[in-house]
Amino acid sequence: EKNKAEYIELFCQEKMSGGCRQAVDHFIEGISAIMPYQFVCMFQPHEIELLVSGLSYVDVYDLRCNTIYVGYDKNDQPVEWFWEMIEAFDNDRRRKFLQFCTGSSRVPPE
């Protein structure tokens, strides 16, 4: 009974920080492979999320400009129909299409 408050505090501290320590260590190790760790501190959390996860909005114009055609020309009628269909999709459906094509539902930041 005497150390109950201390036990609860330490237990919560372990669950809140210690439980994810290994994941945080791996994240720091991975990000350090890309840039020196001291530079990571310069970013806000939402900026790191953007760098790691990419953009959630799929810009059809950008996607179209960066598409490489093999066996087709960008002006072929089936290609035009394809882009009309993609433009008609809402962003959620575009993200699913992007996931199908690239393995990621997010657009990498420039």
Side-chain angles (χ1 to χ4, degrees), residues 20-34:
C20 62
R21 171 76 1 225
Q22 186 178 14
V24 170
D25 289 343
H26 287 302
F27 174 79
I28 291 170
E29 181 182 335
I31 207 86
S32 296
I34 299 169

Side-chain angles (χ1 to χ4, degrees), residues 95-106:
R95 288 179 62 188
K96 288 176 183 174
F97 168 74
L98 196 61
Q99 175 78 40
F100 173 77
C101 294
T102 67
S104 175
S105 64
R106 292 178 162 255

Side-chain angles (χ1 to χ4, degrees), residues 9 15 23 37 39 46 49 54 57 60 75 83 85 87:
E9 182 180 336
K15 287 295 182 188
Y37 182 70
F39 293 138
H46 68 277
E49 178 187 14
Y57 177 73
V60 177
N75 297 318
W83 288 116
M85 180 187 68
E87 287 173 358

Side-chain angles (χ1 to χ4, degrees), residues 3-71:
N3 65 349
K4 187 187 280 186
E6 180 184 4
Y7 171 80
I8 291 172
E9 182 180 336
L10 291 172
F11 179 82
C12 291
Q13 186 177 8
E14 173 62 25
K15 287 295 182 188
M16 298 297 282
S17 62
C20 62
R21 171 76 1 225
Q22 186 178 14
V24 170
D25 289 343
H26 287 302
F27 174 79
I28 291 170
E29 181 182 335
I31 207 86
S32 296
I34 299 169
M35 72 175 81
Y37 182 70
Q38 62 267 24
F39 293 138
V40 174
C41 300
M42 296 169 51
F43 293 97
Q44 297 294 317
H46 68 277
E47 294 170 320
I48 292 174
E49 178 187 14
L50 177 62
L51 290 171
V52 171
S53 301
L55 301 167
S56 62
Y57 177 73
V58 179
D59 182 349
V60 177
Y61 177 77
D62 184 51
L63 185 62
R64 193 173 189 164
C65 289
N66 289 289
T67 298
I68 299 170
Y69 300 95
V70 177

Side-chain angles (χ1 to χ4, degrees), residues 64 69 71-83:
R64 193 173 189 164
Y69 300 95
Y72 289 93
D73 182 76
K74 66 180 182 178
N75 297 318
D76 288 346
Q77 188 61 56
V79 173
E80 292 293 328
W81 289 333
F82 170 79
W83 288 116

